[in-house]
Amino acid sequence: GDDTYFVIYYDEDFNPCSIDNEEARYVGDVSLEPNGPIQNMDIIIARLSDSKEIYSLTATKYMHSPKG
C-alpha cells in the first residue's frame, strides 16, 4: 500500500506470510488517517476464502510529531 493503507496476510496460526504463500488464510486491511499528532487507524481482519470479516478495530494513537 501507500503511507495511509496497507495489507498483511496471515496463515492459519495468524503468523504473517505473503499472499503467494499457499498457507495464507486471512487478510488484514489497515487504513491510517494522520490528524496532526494523532494517528487514527481502522483495522479489519477477514478470511481469504470468503472475504468474511471476523474482526475489526478502530484505534487512535498519539504520535510525538505530526508525521509520526
Side-chain angles (χ1 to χ4, degrees):
D2 58 27
D3 289 344
T4 61
Y5 178 78
F6 61 95
V7 177
I8 304 169
Y9 295 94
Y10 300 95
D11 66 14
E12 66 183 26
D13 296 321
F14 282 94
N15 295 309
C17 65
S18 107
I19 183 61
D20 298 330
N21 186 330
E22 290 180 10
E23 296 178 0
R25 297 290 183 265
Y26 303 96
V27 61
D29 292 320
V30 181
S31 298
L32 306 171
E33 184 180 328
N35 184 12
I38 303 295
Q39 180 83 41
N40 298 311
M41 296 165 268
D42 289 313
I43 304 161
I44 298 172
I45 306 295
R47 288 192 302 234
L48 279 174
S49 62
D50 60 5
S51 300
K52 180 176 170 94
E53 183 178 311
I54 60 170
Y55 185 80
S56 68
L57 173 70
T58 299
T60 301
K61 180 179 180 181
Y62 174 75
M63 309 299 278
H64 295 286
S65 67
K67 286 194 162 201

